[in-house]
Amino acid sequence: MQDAVSRLWPELQWISNPDLRGMVTQTWARAFELSPLSPEDLEQIPFTLLVPNCPTTFMEHKRCVVHIARKAAESMKEFMGNALPIDVDTVIAGAILADVGKLLEYERVEGGKTRQSRRGELLRHPFTGVALAMECGVPDVVCHIIAAHAGEGDLVKRSTEALIVHHADFMAYLPFKNLEKK
């Protein structure tokens, strides 16, 4: 499964710390072990169930978020790094893992439709994502990003890295909410 995760996520190579890269890979592999979804499904299912007929797949959204977050972190570090320390590895790992819990929140049903699973009704993906990551030894600073990337994070003080991933995620989500208003 780790080979499938590496194929799905070439961005793992951006994480310079090999231990962190391994933990992120292991978290995705563990998620697939517990999920009804396959790596191939992620190339087909919508990234959100909150936008009817969402035209973007899970992996298109996820990879976009990771790219936005990395570029934002690097730009912020370049221009404001003396005043604002930013760990780019933490940003990348957090962005890659932010929606890993959706592998437990979503399921496919007959006809190829995607729906929220029973577990997903009880535990949204930030919660299951943190559980998966902690099981795989992911550091708390990265688990914080998973926990705080979505609306649940509005109740905590987000780290700088978590703010970057949160805004990258919403940059790649909110425009789709506008589509349904047209």
Side-chain angles (χ1 to χ4, degrees):
M1 186 53 71
Q2 293 201 355
D3 287 342
V5 171
S6 294
R7 281 191 302 276
L8 196 63
W9 283 110
E11 293 82 0
L12 285 164
Q13 296 309 309
W14 294 348
I15 302 172
S16 62
N17 179 321
D19 293 333
L20 181 57
R21 186 181 329 119
M23 290 177 223
V24 172
T25 303
Q26 183 181 355
T27 302
W28 272 92
R30 181 68 177 140
F32 279 118
E33 289 173 7
L34 298 173
S35 177
L37 302 173
S38 70
E40 295 76 26
D41 287 333
L42 301 187
E43 302 283 0
Q44 299 169 11
I45 66 170
F47 80 88
T48 182
L49 300 177
L50 301 176
V51 174
N53 302 310
C54 180
T56 298
T57 70
F58 179 89
M59 284 310 297
E60 290 168 338
H61 168 76
K62 285 307 309 163
R63 294 188 72 216
C64 181
V65 168
V66 172
H67 284 247
I68 291 169
R70 177 188 183 208
K71 289 174 184 173
E74 289 172 342
S75 295
M76 290 173 72
K77 192 170 182 162
E78 178 183 351
F79 294 104
M80 300 181 291
N82 292 335
L84 191 63
I86 296 170
D87 186 316
V88 177
D89 268 5
T90 297
V91 170
I92 296 167
I96 290 173
L97 288 174
D99 284 344
V100 70
K102 283 190 178 182
L103 275 67
L104 305 182
E105 184 177 356
Y106 289 1
E107 64 186 4
R108 293 189 91 179
V109 293
E110 209 169 300
K113 295 279 187 194
T114 305
R115 71 175 181 197
Q116 195 172 39
S117 66
R118 175 69 177 138
R119 174 179 273 158
E121 291 173 4
L122 297 171
L123 298 168
R124 273 184 27 94
H125 64 279
F127 299 103
T128 52
V130 168
L132 289 164
M134 290 181 78
E135 179 182 338
C136 296
V138 173
D140 288 349
V141 293
V142 177
C143 289
H144 167 75
I145 293 171
I146 301 166
H149 82 280
E152 290 84 350
D154 294 344
L155 301 176
V156 300
K157 180 180 177 186
R158 290 182 175 104
S159 67
T160 300
E161 291 83 359
L163 283 166
I164 292 168
V165 174
H166 167 72
H167 286 286
D169 190 40
F170 276 79
M171 283 175 62
Y173 163 67
L174 289 176
F176 290 96
K177 291 293 289 177
N178 288 340
L179 291 178
E180 66 186 60
K181 295 176 184 174
K182 291 183 180 181

